[in-house]
């Protein structure tokens, strides 16, 4: 008998470069056409403090200061995506962190500017997805 399907949720962020390029709809289409469903969505301008908290795992990295400056440079769109193996599916749809390494048809290959301005963020594990979803959304905002 086949294993039970792993229906799960993950967090996606459309970053300021992609919002500025007016490709929110095209990015959402990539998720929906692969079967991921949007269960929550909001546009938000993050503060420096919020970005420092969200990306705290990267705080010792040389690119951290630039990352905070970039993510606060304009509004982002945060979404909860749900579907079969949503964490890994989202990462496949996004493509590699560096758009130069991203496969054809992926969001980063088509829309990202650089390794920093890379169009989207996606949770890297089920555990982090739970934390990142709770960072942006209350229980009553997820449908
Ligand atoms: P993201 O997947 O959101 O996780 C960390 C972010 O830091 C990454 O996407 C990029 O936007 C940014 N970043 C900037 N420089 C680098 C780098 N050299 N390696 C990885 N991420 C980087």
């Amino acid at each position: 008998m086949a294993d039970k399907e792993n229906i799960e949720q993950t967090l996606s962020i459309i970053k300021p470069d992609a919002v500025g390029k007016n490709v929110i709809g095209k990015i959402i289409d990539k998720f929906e056409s692969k079967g991921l469903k949007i269960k929550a969505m909001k546009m938000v301008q993050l503060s420096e403090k919020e970005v420092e908290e969200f990306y705290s795992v990267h705080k010792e990295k040389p690119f951290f200061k630039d990352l905070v400056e970039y993510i606060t440079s304009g509004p982002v769109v945060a979404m909860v995506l749900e579907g079969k193996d949503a964490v890994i599916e989202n990462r496949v749809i996004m493509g590699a962190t560096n758009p130069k390494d991203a496969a054809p048809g992926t969001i980063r290959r088509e829309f990202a500017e650089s390794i920093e301005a890379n169009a989207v963020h996606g949770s890297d594990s089920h555990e982090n997805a739970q934390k990142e979803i709770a960072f942006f959304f209350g229980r009553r905002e997820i449908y």
Side-chain angles (χ1 to χ4, degrees), residues 35-112:
L36 292 178
K37 292 189 169 142
I38 296 172
K39 294 284 168 168
M41 179 160 68
K42 64 172 74 157
M43 183 177 271
V44 54
Q45 169 71 58
L46 296 170
S47 68
E48 271 183 36
K49 208 168 156 249
E50 286 168 326
V51 177
E52 282 167 9
E53 185 188 336
F54 184 82
Y55 278 122
S56 60
V57 291
H58 294 305
K59 65 174 183 289
E60 305 302 335
K61 304 269 174 68
F63 58 80
F64 186 67
K65 194 169 163 283
D66 288 344
L67 174 63
V68 174
E69 201 171 304
Y70 155 61
I71 299 286
T72 57
S73 67
V76 300
V77 176
M79 287 171 284
V80 175
L81 303 176
E82 185 180 276
K84 186 171 173 294
D85 302 319
V87 172
I88 188 73
E89 277 302 316
N90 179 34
R91 295 183 71 77
V92 171
I93 296 165
M94 289 194 298
T97 304
N98 189 340
K100 289 191 184 122
D101 303 326
T106 61
I107 292 170
R108 284 169 170 160
R109 176 70 168 260
E110 291 186 14
F111 304 117

Side-chain angles (χ1 to χ4, degrees), residues 8-13 39-40 42 54 78-82 86-87 121 123 125-139 141-142:
E8 63 180 359
Q9 295 184 337
T10 190
L11 183 87
S12 171
I13 302 174
K39 294 284 168 168
K42 64 172 74 157
F54 184 82
M79 287 171 284
V80 175
L81 303 176
E82 185 180 276
V87 172
H121 166 83
S123 309
S125 66
H126 182 73
E127 192 193 5
N128 282 338
Q130 302 299 308
K131 288 184 199 157
E132 292 182 358
I133 288 169
F135 182 90
F136 281 96
F137 298 100
R139 279 183 170 276
E141 294 177 298
I142 304 169

Side-chain angles (χ1 to χ4, degrees), residues 15-23 70 111-113 116-120:
K15 296 182 181 179
D17 59 304
V19 172
K21 279 163 83 175
N22 214 20
V23 293
Y70 155 61
F111 304 117
E113 296 293 321
E116 175 176 88
N118 62 355
V120 278

